[in-house]
Amino acid sequence: MQIGVVVFPGSNCDHDALHAATLASGREAVPLWHESTDLQGCDMIILPGGFSYGDYLRTGAIARFSPIMAAVAQFARAGNPVLGICNGFQILCEAGLLPGALLRNAGLRFVCRQVHLRVESTATPFTGGCRAGQVLQVPIAHGDGNYYAPPEVLEQLERRQQVIFRYCTAAGEITAAANPNGSLHHIAGICNAGRNVVGLMPHPERASEAGLGSADGLQLFASLQPCR
Amino acid sequence: MTAWIQVGLKPTVLDPQGQAIQAALRKLGFGAVAGVRQAKVFQVEMAPGADPAEAKRQIERAAREVLANPVIEEFSIRWEE
């Protein structure tokens, strides 16, 4: 499994993602510069967190016109696995590869802390190694993570089980207090209709080793094949 | 020729920034204020001698495809000679 991590100007979690991807796959993950259109034969692409283009206009709005995004869109449409983390999730929504949008946090503040996520579906390339209902401890760090989609899109996401992660308590309960940003239906992550593109606001790469406080996030990178 | 493009959240989308501004205005004694929605405005200068019909087509497309996100936002365009 060769994993590639796209680097936009303003990405700041690219090295964390490269580290987690290398750890999980046992193969050196490669950075992919945003001006390139060559995915270098990668089998899986990660769009990392950060503030691509300074979040100007809207989060992810300018990054989605980067030359590499045409190649990523083609890669995704061919059914290959693409994971968007935080800003990467925002970019995937702006690019139309995932439905909905990320609004300013309901509390208006940038929120940086550990949260709990309930795995709602294991039917994606990234959650295949998890158990349905499993609770993961993973940090969030965002100001615009408030997931929004029009009612008919939300209904479709729920019906097709495209909600992959929901904010929850440590015991896995979905409560208002456990929702850090006002996301509709407590949504922390979703997938596309083809289930190969997944986006989430929390940072699994920052929970990839016990020394970081949690190693729960590593499963997302390792689900495609067993850890070596 | 100048295009003024106003982009704001759709009425159905919650605007926590507008709500915070409204709360601040009321706290400051602007008691007649009943609601605030925040929007942004782009002032776009067109090239001298640009064909007006073509300029309008381009700005319409730029607003739809780049400046506004149709999932959450709507826009309006005002022209100034």
Side-chain angles (χ1 to χ4, degrees), chain A residues 1 63 83 85 96 98-99 115 180 212 225:
Chain A
M1 172 64 53
L83 178 67
I85 302 168
L98 287 175
V115 298
L212 295 170
Q225 63 177 48

Side-chain angles (χ1 to χ4, degrees), chain A residues 35-115:
Chain A
E35 282 183 343
S36 166
T37 53
D38 179 8
L39 300 182
Q40 298 184 25
C42 287
D43 310 299
M44 168 182 160
I45 300 294
I46 298 174
L47 304 187
F51 299 86
S52 57
Y53 295 89
D55 277 354
Y56 297 159
L57 189 58
R58 292 179 305 277
T59 56
I62 299 179
R64 79 149 165 130
F65 294 108
S66 285
I68 200 155
M69 283 307 294
V72 170
Q74 196 179 16
F75 182 80
R77 290 199 180 99
N80 297 299
V82 176
L83 178 67
I85 302 168
C86 196
N87 189 221
F89 183 17
Q90 295 162 340
I91 295 168
L92 289 173
C93 287
E94 280 284 338
L97 292 171
L98 287 175
L102 283 311
L103 298 168
R104 178 64 48 93
N105 289 348
L108 292 173
R109 286 169 188 260
F110 190 96
V111 182
C112 183
R113 64 174 169 89
Q114 296 283 334
V115 298

Side-chain angles (χ1 to χ4, degrees), chain A residues 57-58 61 64-65 94 100-101 103-106 108 148-150, chain B residues 9 12-13 16-17 20 40 42 65-69 71-73:
Chain A
L57 189 58
R58 292 179 305 277
R64 79 149 165 130
F65 294 108
E94 280 284 338
L103 298 168
R104 178 64 48 93
N105 289 348
L108 292 173
Y148 172 88
Chain B
L9 291 170
T12 49
V13 177
Q17 291 184 97
K40 47 193 164 189
F42 301 88
E65 294 178 7
V66 184
L67 301 180
N69 178 345
V71 177
I72 48 172
E73 293 171 323

Side-chain angles (χ1 to χ4, degrees), chain A residues 3-7 11-25 27-31 44-49 83 85 203-206 208 218 221:
Chain A
I3 304 178
V5 176
V6 176
V7 183
S11 295
N12 65 6
C13 300
D14 43 331
H15 285 275
D16 311 51
L18 285 163
H19 176 76
T22 301
L23 203 62
S25 68
R27 195 163 154 182
E28 194 72 29
V30 294
M44 168 182 160
I45 300 294
I46 298 174
L47 304 187
L83 178 67
I85 302 168
H203 285 275
E205 81 284 11
R206 294 191 194 176
S208 57
L218 197 63
F221 304 94

